[in-house]
Amino acid sequence: MSLFVTELRRLGKRRVTRLMLVLLVLGLATVATAFSFSSEKLSPAAVAEAEAKANNDYQTAMTEWKRTIAECEAAAGRGENTEDRYGPNCGKDYQPQPDMFEAKWYLPYQFDFRAEFPLFIAVFAASVALFGFIVGASFVGAEWNTGGMMNLLLWRPKRLTVLGTKLAALLTTVFGLTVVLGALWTAAFWLIASQRGSTAKMTGGVWQSIGLDGLRALGMTLLVAAVGFALASLGRHTAMALGAAVGIFAVSEIGIRIAVAVLGVQFGDRYVLSTYAQSWFLKQAELFDYDTCQFSQGACEPATYMVTWQQSAVVFGVALVGALVAAFWTMRRRDIS
């Protein structure tokens, strides 16, 4: 039996892998099930009811507006100061308009597959990426911690081959799991949209865009799994990867944000990893600098900075290559006795 097949079987039989898989499936199923109850397909009766409520609220606002004007004019006739209480011209310039009471604001929530499913692709990717990180870190971390890596190298003394095969087994597993669960995730939300939402305007171009979103999600899950594997291999322990992840999050999301705020750096969020994750999934992330606006001179457009998915690919690619190179270099150089 080849080393690759052996590592695949070992990964699949690990209790951590099976436990995390059960938790992942249950979590995704819970999200999809709970969300299905929040959406309601809009019927002609529901639309008519919303239109009636909107018109009723408009008429109520008009009645109140007219009553307030009459009350103001009566007070003005008695010589009272009405501007402080009713505003200039007794509020006649603030007549309610029909577009302030649009029927769509009174409709129950309806899931729109075309507009909203890309967000759920990101949710799915984050869930599978977490699975991949923990399973990948524990896969190699436990081997170092229990001495299994040393025993394996006695049987197959090629260090880089062993580590590379383990990584390949992990990525193959995460790849297959992402594809299968991704297909089920898409089917589940398509069913929700068909039965309790809307599948309107689903053209071939939209499906192509969703497919590209899925590829980005797949790339992210593989990247996170590989980084978790590399960090645990560097530290010879699963806790090394988990601790490094917490540290990176704290530095990026808290430390850097505080530092750029204190230093007054323009578009400080461009140095934060979550900005690049957002850009990766949404194709771009636009940052705003409202300090450039002079609101005393009226409304103005703030300065903007665009982070593209290509920039995100470079950032994450560099991080991945750096982690893997460090892991394989230390594997080759370190004393494993």
Side-chain angles (χ1 to χ4, degrees), residues 169-229:
L170 170 67
L171 296 182
T172 300
T173 300
V174 173
F175 177 89
L177 186 66
T178 303
V179 171
V180 172
L181 291 183
L184 294 175
W185 185 253
T186 303
F189 278 87
W190 178 259
L191 181 62
I192 293 171
S194 300
Q195 301 300 318
R196 302 180 64 88
S198 171
T199 57
K201 301 179 180 179
M202 288 301 298
T203 63
V206 174
W207 279 114
Q208 182 180 8
S209 178
I210 289 177
L212 292 175
D213 289 341
L215 289 177
R216 278 191 288 271
L218 175 61
M220 180 60 70
T221 59
L222 294 176
L223 181 145
V224 172
V227 169
F229 179 93

Side-chain angles (χ1 to χ4, degrees), residues 250-293:
V251 170
S252 174
E253 303 302 318
I254 300 176
I256 292 180
R257 289 184 188 276
I258 293 175
V260 296
V262 171
L263 296 174
V265 177
Q266 190 178 32
F267 306 117
D269 280 358
R270 60 179 165 168
Y271 302 106
V272 177
L273 284 177
S274 60
T275 298
Y276 291 91
Q278 177 186 352
S279 172
W280 177 255
F281 284 112
L282 302 181
K283 304 181 184 68
Q284 61 183 26
E286 189 172 11
L287 307 180
F288 300 91
D289 182 11
Y290 290 98
D291 292 337
T292 60
C293 276

